[in-house]
Amino acid sequence: MSSEPSVPGTARAWGWVAHLCAGGTTPWDAWTGDGVPTARVLPGAQQLELLRRLNLAGRAPDGLADRVLTAAAPGRGKPDLALVGAGRSPYGPQPVDPALLPPDELVRVATSVLAEDVVALGVPTPPRRLNRFWHRRHRLAGDPIEVAGVRDHLTSHGRSPGGPGAPVLVLGGPLDQMLADVWSRRCFERGSFGWLEWLRFWQQRDELPPRIDLAAVADRHRAQSPDVRVVLDRSQLPDLLAVRRLPPPVRPGADAAELARRIATVVGLLVPPDERAALMTHTLLPRMPATTTPPVALPAEHRAWVKAAAERMARQLSRAGYAVVGDPRAVVPAESAAPVAAGPPGVASGQQVLDLAVRMLVDDTWKGQG
C-alpha cells in the first residue's frame, strides 16, 4: 500500500501506527487522528492488530513494537492485509477491519517474532555432571514424554542412560495417551502437522508412529541387548531403575504444543534441521510458560481405530513372548475416557494459542527460565 498522505485514509492510518507504537489501544474503527509516514509502506493489518493486543496485555519490552510491525506472517494464511478505509489496491486481498481478524492470523505474526527469540537464545551448554559408574545403566525407549522425563531425572542424578548392552526399558501406556505424547513431543522437536491432521495421516495408513509401536520397538532393541522389557506399569519403574521415586511426566497443554509447532516451522527457516531440534527441545521446551489448558485429547472419530490398534498391540505383547511389566491390556484406552468438550475436538482454540503468544511477547521473563 502506498504511504503517500494523498491516498485517502493513509494519513489516518499513519496516525494509528504512531498511536500503537506509543502504547495505545484504540481500535482502528474508532481512530480519527492523522499522522505522517514513518516508513515506505504501512504495516499490515495483522501486525498492527497484534501490536494493539500486546498493548492491551501490558507494557511491551523496548523494541518489540518495531519487531512486530516488520515481522512476516509465515505459514498458511493470508499475505499482509491492508486496513479498510486506508487506500485500496486493485490487486490482492480486500482490506480488512483488523479487529475482525481471526486469532490464527495474529498468531502467524507472533510466531515469527518468538522464533527469532528462540534462535537468539541459542542452544544451552549442558551442565557437567559426574556419572555414578557403579550404578547399572539402562536404555530407555517408547513414549517420548515418559522417556524424556525419566532420562532427565536420571541424568540430573548422575545416571545417564545408555551404554553397550545395557538393559532396555520400553515405556508405554494407553495408546491414546501415547499418541498425544508423540505429537506433543514432535511439536517441540522438528514440528508436525496439526493434531487432527496428524491423526488422520496415521489412521489412513492404519499404522502407528514408530516410537510407540511397542512390539516393533522391542524387536529393534533385541538385536542390541538380551534384556528388553516393555514397562506398562509405571509404579514399578522406580524399582526397575533402582531409584526411590520418579517425578510425574510433564505434558504440555494443547495451546503450548500448538504454539511450539508453529514456532518450529519458522525456526526451521532460520537454522539447519539439527539445530532446530536442539533449540526446540533444549531452549524452548524448558522455558515454555505453564498454562491451565489440558493436553490434546483423542477426538471421538478416531476412538474406534485407536481401540482396534491397541487391542492388536495387546495381543502382540501377550503372545510373542515379550517381557512385559504390567498388564499388556494397559495399552487399550479406558472406555470411560472423558468426552472432549465442545469446539474443535481435542485441540486448543486459536484464541488460547494467541493468548499464550501474547503473554510470551509482553512478559519475556521466560527467556531467563530453563
Side-chain angles (χ1 to χ4, degrees), residues 117-198:
D117 288 338
V118 171
V119 172
L121 286 170
V123 180
T125 302
R128 295 187 62 183
R129 293 187 175 95
L130 295 177
N131 283 319
R132 301 180 181 180
F133 294 105
W134 56 90
H135 285 288
R136 190 181 188 190
R137 292 188 175 188
H138 292 78
R139 298 182 67 186
L140 302 170
D143 184 311
I145 286 185
E146 293 279 358
V147 167
V150 174
R151 180 186 292 123
D152 290 347
H153 178 77
L154 294 178
T155 301
S156 68
H157 288 76
R159 298 184 56 185
S160 300
V168 179
L169 301 179
V170 181
L171 310 185
L175 184 53
D176 56 343
Q177 181 67 73
M178 290 196 290
L179 285 165
D181 286 353
V182 171
W183 180 81
S184 297
R185 185 70 183 187
R186 277 189 60 87
C187 292
F188 285 95
E189 293 174 342
R190 302 177 185 275
S192 176
F193 304 130
W195 169 235
L196 301 181
E197 186 179 0
W198 184 81

Side-chain angles (χ1 to χ4, degrees), residues 247-274:
V250 178
R251 294 184 164 90
D255 52 352
E258 176 62 17
L259 181 58
R261 181 183 77 84
R262 300 189 189 192
I263 292 173
T265 299
V266 186
V267 172
L269 302 175
L270 303 175
V271 300
D274 289 344

